[in-house]
Amino acid sequence: MAVVTTKSTACTAGDAFPQTNTQQKIHGGRLRESLGVVEAVSGDSIGSQYRLVRIGSGDRVSRILLSCDAITTCAGDVGLYDIPAVNAGAVVDADFFASAQSLASALVNQDVTHEADAADAGAGFGLADVEKPLWQALGLAADPGKQYDVVVTLTAAAGSAGTVALKVQYVDGN
């Protein structure tokens, strides 16, 4: 079997002569974090939305970390919605990051960044999207220059009350 050397975007750019610059979103960018916390109420029904974090279309997502108390029978998708002032807060992709993630057991910083599409079959935020800004990962032709809400949408009703928290780590910049 042959030995192969494969390079990332940043390493390829650094090896070029003359060297080419790599976008800070891929190499050398500053990691930022937004977080949100909501209280789920016993009886919150399927379709209930917990709008937790706002992120820009030009940001590159690094990690989505979900934490919660054990909320009996509860599960939810983690996805993107327009903000309420834009398009009435309509769904962009309800399970872009995670699909039917159980909230029935307590979670502490559960990484749900690529859960929806681990194999990157064309839907959701997959491994092939890790270098892309959000708008490209969504498959848009150009950056709309807007904000999106990261939302947990219940796919199974909450049988008890509890806290739901989300941390979104991202890189902004050029």
Side-chain angles (χ1 to χ4, degrees):
M1 195 172 245
V3 175
V4 177
T5 300
T6 305
K7 298 178 185 177
S8 69
T9 301
C11 289
T12 300
D15 285 351
F17 185 79
Q19 282 189 329
T20 56
N21 291 330
T22 304
Q23 289 185 359
Q24 280 186 315
K25 287 181 187 174
I26 297 173
H27 178 74
R30 292 185 181 165
L31 188 63
R32 298 183 179 275
E33 181 175 87
S34 291
L35 57 97
V37 178
V38 297
E39 294 299 322
V41 176
S42 180
D44 284 351
S45 64
I46 293 171
S48 294
Q49 298 175 1
Y50 304 146
R51 290 179 180 258
L52 290 153
V53 174
R54 196 155 283 173
I55 187 169
S57 58
D59 296 338
R60 183 188 57 76
V61 174
S62 289
R63 286 199 310 181
I64 308 283
L65 302 172
L66 179 64
S67 298
C68 67
D69 295 328
I71 304 172
T72 310
T73 71
C74 195
D77 293 339
V78 181
L80 295 169
Y81 286 70
D82 280 327
I83 64 172
V86 176
N87 199 22
V91 64
V92 174
D93 189 329
D95 62 353
F96 190 65
F97 297 108
S99 179
Q101 170 66 51
S102 176
L103 306 175
S105 299
L107 302 173
V108 178
N109 291 330
Q110 174 74 35
D111 191 335
V112 295
T113 312
H114 305 291
E115 187 275 336
D117 187 20
D120 197 33
F125 188 77
L127 295 176
D129 298 319
V130 298
E131 291 184 341
K132 297 177 183 176
L134 190 56
W135 67 270
Q136 284 182 337
L138 283 167
L140 302 177
D143 186 353
K146 66 181 191 176
Q147 298 283 302
Y148 294 105
D149 282 343
V150 181
V151 178
V152 174
T153 305
L154 296 190
T155 58
S160 62
T163 302
V164 178
L166 195 71
K167 293 179 187 176
V168 176
Q169 297 174 343
Y170 64 95
V171 177
D172 62 4
N174 67 6

